[in-house]
Amino acid sequence: MEISKVGVLGGGTMGSGIAEVCARSGVETLVVEVDAQACAAAAERIGKSLDRALARGRIDEGAHAVAVAGLSYSTEIADFADRDLVIEAIVEDLAEKTRNFAVLGEVLPPHAILASNTSSLSIGELAAATDRPGSVVGMHFFNPATVQPLVEIVEAIESSPGACAAAADFCVNTLGKQVIRCADRAGFVVNRLLVPYLLSAISLADCGWATVKDIDAGMRGGCAHPMGPLELCDLVGLDVVEAVAEVMYEEYREPLYAPPPLLRRMVAAGRLGRKSGEGFYSYS
Ligand SMILES: NC(=O)c1ccc[n+]([C@@H]2O[C@H](COP(=O)([O-])OP(=O)(O)OC[C@H]3O[C@@H](n4cnc5c(N)ncnc54)[C@H](O)[C@@H]3O)[C@@H](O)[C@H]2O)c1
């Protein structure tokens, strides 16, 4: 199946990155956001990122021009009517996602694939909200999507082998990504391993075991991680870490997935990490 027109629902941290990756690969890419202000913010974020990639020599002028020409923005989900694939990247909230998947099922052409970038929610539940569960798959990109090579292709019980194969083929052969396949269980492969580690680091900071800087320095210097766990929480967004942990705790009922009190307090205070300017570190 040829995928030449892609839609990205939600142009925040992940949606912007995914849209940029698609546009850089020469795919016509339409980003749909909630309102004109959010569309403008997504366009600005993607534009600046493309300019940085050009300035750093990661793309040449031709690729920059192709990407800019291939991108468009809208506030109307109905504008996805001609898309071959839509990748949903809105807030990590099951009710909000199922509501939007029901609408995507009505809007998209019959051959289209409906993908979610969810970090933890059930692809099967999203599929059940549509009239075509066989066409729904998980396509989990990593942050920043323009840099991280991996995409997890998540197969729900109802996902058709054809949709999974087409999604994986698009990621590998069009976007140049590396793919792993996994079952529809909260956290998939990477977050199942990563989230308990991040939560442990937050608990260490919470009980004053070590300073935030020393916890991060420990994992950078001792394990050769490019980034410490609390720096990574700030990059991912503390609200996203909390939401993913909640879903995993709900699914497995094991204490290692329970969001620690400090995480809850920071999210309640609006300290979400890089995107809000304050998290474990200050970005002002
Ligand atoms: N942040 C990460 O590191 C990361 C990594 C992998 C996957 N994810 C997943 O990606 C998804 C998005 O996360 P994010 O970090 O980009 O969140 P974000 O808060 O940065 O962006 C979400 C965007 O969705 C938009 N939105 C909300 N409802 C919408 C709707 N109905 N229609 C169109 N747009 C809508 C918001 O305006 C916002 O711009 C989540 O499911 C998250 O779990 C996040």
Side-chain angles (χ1 to χ4, degrees), residues 34 43 62 106 119 126 163 187-188 222 233:
V34 280
E106 287 164 17
S119 305
L126 302 182
F188 314 131
C233 286

Side-chain angles (χ1 to χ4, degrees), residues 118-231:
T118 179
S119 305
S120 59
L121 297 170
S122 157
I123 301 301
E125 285 192 59
L126 302 182
T130 73
D131 57 352
R132 52 175 107 178
S135 306
V136 178
V137 301
M139 225 185 214
H140 186 216
F141 290 76
F142 289 79
N143 189 6
T146 49
V147 175
Q148 300 288 9
L150 187 67
V151 181
E152 288 176 318
I153 300 292
V154 184
E155 306 177 18
I157 288 177
E158 298 289 333
S159 304
S160 76
C164 295
D169 180 73
F170 175 73
C171 289
V172 172
N173 294 316
T174 302
L175 303 184
K177 294 289 187 187
Q178 171 198 341
V179 155
I180 60 172
R181 291 196 177 208
C182 49
D184 183 24
R185 301 286 181 276
F188 314 131
V189 170
V190 173
N191 279 332
R192 181 92 189 254
L193 297 170
L194 177 66
V195 169
Y197 159 68
L198 297 181
L199 300 179
S200 297
I202 296 170
S203 294
L204 284 189
D206 198 5
C207 69
W209 195 285
T211 64
V212 165
K213 274 189 172 173
D214 280 355
I215 292 167
D216 282 338
M219 294 310 290
R220 273 191 265 103
C223 296
H225 286 197
M227 185 178 269
L230 302 171
E231 293 170 294

Side-chain angles (χ1 to χ4, degrees), residues 12-14 33 89-90 92 97 100 117 119 140-141 143 236:
T13 309
M14 291 307 296
E33 257 291 355
I90 68 169
E92 189 76 341
K97 286 198 197 271
N100 278 280
N117 185 52
S119 305
H140 186 216
F141 290 76
N143 189 6
V236 170

